Amino acid sequence: MTSPAGRTTPEAPTRRAEILAAAAELFARRGFHGASIGDVGRAVGLTGPALYRHFSGKEAVLAEMLLDISQRLHAEGLRRAAEPEPDRALDALLHWHIAFALDNPALITVHERELDNVPEAQRHEIRRLQRAYVEEWVRVLRRLRPGLPEDRTRAAVHACFGLLNSTPYSAAALDRDSMAVLLHTMARSALTTA
């Protein structure tokens, strides 16, 4: 979007995006079964019935939320892993994932706890995208450390994600920048010495 002065300005979030963000906060705080569609609607100033103009139900909200996360992670992972220099590609992946984890603790929590509540077809697609995202990291790490066996590389990437996705629990003690540096240092060290 361009302002009258010709500057690019961020687009206002769509109503669907507002609903998804509010639902993520509610589902993280109360759990999927502890928040009603009416609660989600009220959080964005809609009645439950008005929310049905945007989503067919609570499962559809959850499915779109988690599909969106998986699509964004995969797309950005592909882009960053394409860096020709593997050392820089690893740093790019780490910076991206750390920023995502620090900026979206509710989404991390919902994904961790509520994936089983997503309808099967969408859950299958989410898992497919997640596996593809992991494989981008595995390819970068194998370029950086060619002698590392593939199964060990994949296990190291999964363990690294456990560290990075701990932010809903671990990030409160430090300011954001300090936590980002700590996570980057720990994850990079773990991945390059695995």
Side-chain angles (χ1 to χ4, degrees), residues 18-191:
E18 290 173 6
I19 293 165
L20 291 171
E25 293 296 328
L26 284 169
F27 295 166
R29 196 169 49 250
R30 298 184 194 170
F32 178 73
H33 296 294
S36 70
I37 198 75
D39 294 332
V40 174
R42 279 188 292 284
V44 294
L46 294 174
T47 62
L51 194 65
Y52 288 111
R53 286 194 293 259
H54 301 278
F55 293 96
S56 62
K58 201 165 64 162
E59 291 82 7
V61 171
L62 180 62
E64 185 167 323
M65 179 190 306
L66 297 185
L67 272 168
D68 178 64
I69 294 167
S70 300
Q71 289 163 343
R72 283 191 289 154
L73 286 169
H74 180 242
E76 193 61 24
L78 278 170
R79 189 179 80 72
R80 290 177 182 247
E83 162 64 48
E85 173 55 49
D87 201 51
R88 289 176 49 169
L90 178 60
D91 278 334
L93 286 168
L94 283 166
H95 287 301
W96 156 247
H97 197 101
I98 290 166
F100 181 87
L102 288 171
D103 294 341
N104 297 284
L107 291 175
I108 299 284
T109 300
V110 171
H111 180 271
E112 177 185 297
R113 290 193 321 215
E114 308 296 350
L115 183 59
D116 288 344
N117 290 307
V118 173
E120 186 177 348
Q122 290 96 335
R123 189 170 59 244
H124 177 75
E125 178 62 8
I126 291 165
R127 292 281 193 213
R128 185 192 68 74
L129 288 164
Q130 289 172 335
R131 285 189 301 273
Y133 181 56
V134 167
E135 291 310 308
E136 292 305 320
W137 285 69
V138 168
R139 278 189 277 284
V140 166
L141 199 51
R142 299 240 14 238
R143 285 175 30 219
L144 188 62
R145 302 191 55 211
L148 194 62
E150 189 170 338
D151 58 345
R152 187 174 175 91
T153 306
R154 193 168 290 106
V157 169
H158 280 289
C160 178
F161 285 171
L163 168 68
L164 300 180
N165 292 340
S166 72
T167 55
Y169 317 103
S170 63
L174 298 175
D175 64 81
R176 187 191 186 287
D177 290 343
S178 297
M179 190 65 188
V181 169
L182 177 63
L183 287 170
H184 186 273
T185 301
M186 292 176 71
R188 191 170 217 301
S189 176
L191 289 171

